[in-house]
Every structure is written in C-alpha cells, then in structure tokens.
Amino acid sequence: YKKIEGIVQRILDEFDDDVALFQELLDDFLAYRSQEERRAEVMEQRTRDAEKGRARSELARQRVDAELAQRTADKQLPEPVDTLIHDAWHRLLVVTYLKHGEDSQFWHRALKVVELLLWSIDYHPEREAREQLVKKVQALVEELKRGLNKIGYNPGETQRLLDALEGI
C-alpha cells in the first residue's frame, strides 16, 4: 500500500507530458514486487525449517525419554542420580541425538554412561564386582564431567551431583 501510494504521489507531483515516468514507475514497482516475493519465499523457508527443527527436537526428546524410561524402569533412584539422569544427562542425550543421530557412537556411548551409572549405584556383594566398580568409577566420573561440560551444565551443580554420587 505504501509503495502504491508513493507511486500515485509521484504521478501527481511529477507528471506533465512525459509518459516515460510511467515506465520508470512500472519498472520500480516490478523490482519492488520481485524483491518482496523473494523476501516472502525466504520467510516461508525459515518457517518450514523452524517447524522441522521443532518436530525433530520433539522426536529427540521422545526418543531420549523412552531410552531413559527403559533403563530406569522399576528402579528407586536416589535424588542426585535421578537429577543427573533425567535432567542433566537427558539434555546431553537430546543434543547428541540431534547432532549425531541414534546410530552414532556418541549416542551409544552416552547411553552406556547411563547404564554404567545405574550399575554403579547397585549393591554388589561379590568381591569381583566391587573391584570392577573401583576401576570404573573414575572413568565414569570423568565421562560425566565431560558430557555435562559439553552442554554447559552449571559447574556448581555438576560438582554437587558428583559429590552426592560419590556418597551413594
């Protein structure tokens, strides 16, 4: 509307006998319309991309929820472990799924950390299992730190969770 109003105003202000003004205004209007069509196409593409991204993020969250539910079903998790798995590590799994996919080594490695964490908090009366636990705990803690650092998890909260995990 503003563009057409400007064109009409120019005709009223500038037209006398020279019809070349009409060609100039037509060319200007067609260029404007072409630019607006390109802008609309870009906006449509951005909207489609954003919608795909939202759908993909939702799929990732559902997949992570299912994986964690499968691994933690029927388990009474201490609060720090529950927070670590269902908050912090959940975020890491979503990012990993989106970035690398569910067939990647990163995805499988992140799930193995959950399994090792769950195994580490179980009671192990056998001497051999306790020895394995001692060997694996440091690697588990390092993997947890590395993963939480990747997603920018609060360092103070990370330390609090790891301290609580050590107590468990």
Side-chain angles (χ1 to χ4, degrees):
Y1 174 77
K2 291 277 188 197
K3 185 67 174 173
I4 292 174
E5 184 179 47
I7 290 171
V8 169
Q9 193 60 48
R10 274 195 65 196
I11 291 171
L12 292 174
D13 293 344
E14 298 176 22
F15 181 68
D16 50 19
D17 299 358
D18 188 11
V19 291
L21 175 65
F22 290 101
Q23 186 61 49
E24 177 188 335
L25 292 171
L26 175 62
D27 291 345
D28 182 49
F29 180 73
L30 292 175
Y32 171 80
R33 196 177 113 219
S34 176
Q35 182 182 14
E36 286 300 306
E37 286 174 354
R38 281 192 303 273
R39 188 175 301 148
E41 288 172 5
V42 167
M43 290 302 294
E44 286 176 25
Q45 184 61 45
R46 286 181 182 164
T47 301
R48 282 191 300 272
D49 290 347
E51 194 55 41
K52 282 181 189 175
R54 276 191 288 279
R56 198 162 171 258
S57 291
E58 182 57 31
L59 175 65
R61 279 190 289 283
Q62 289 173 357
R63 180 76 167 116
V64 169
D65 288 344
E67 289 291 337
L68 293 179
Q70 175 187 348
R71 285 165 174 75
T72 61
D74 303 327
K75 292 188 188 291
Q76 287 296 107
L77 300 177
E79 182 274 328
V81 175
D82 188 66
T83 300
L84 190 57
I85 291 174
H86 290 102
D87 179 37
W89 211 253
H90 185 280
R91 291 183 208 174
L92 175 81
L93 285 167
V94 168
V95 168
T96 303
Y97 184 94
L98 291 171
K99 190 173 181 179
H100 301 287
E102 67 181 313
D103 293 328
S104 71
Q105 68 179 10
F106 301 106
W107 170 255
H108 293 289
R109 185 174 177 179
L111 289 174
K112 288 286 186 197
V113 169
V114 172
E115 292 168 2
L116 182 56
L117 175 60
L118 293 171
W119 177 82
S120 75
I121 63 170
D122 283 341
Y123 175 68
H124 300 285
E126 314 85 32
R127 185 173 145 230
E128 186 177 304
R130 286 193 310 268
E131 288 173 0
Q132 276 188 338
L133 179 61
V134 170
K135 290 178 185 176
K136 292 181 180 186
V137 163
Q138 188 58 38
L140 173 62
V141 169
E142 291 303 316
E143 195 68 30
L144 288 168
K145 283 181 183 178
R146 191 174 16 265
L148 296 178
N149 190 40
K150 277 184 187 176
I151 60 167
Y153 200 72
N154 180 317
E157 182 64 10
T158 297
Q159 193 58 52
R160 183 191 75 77
L161 290 171
L162 293 176
D163 288 346
L165 182 61
E166 184 181 336
I168 294 169

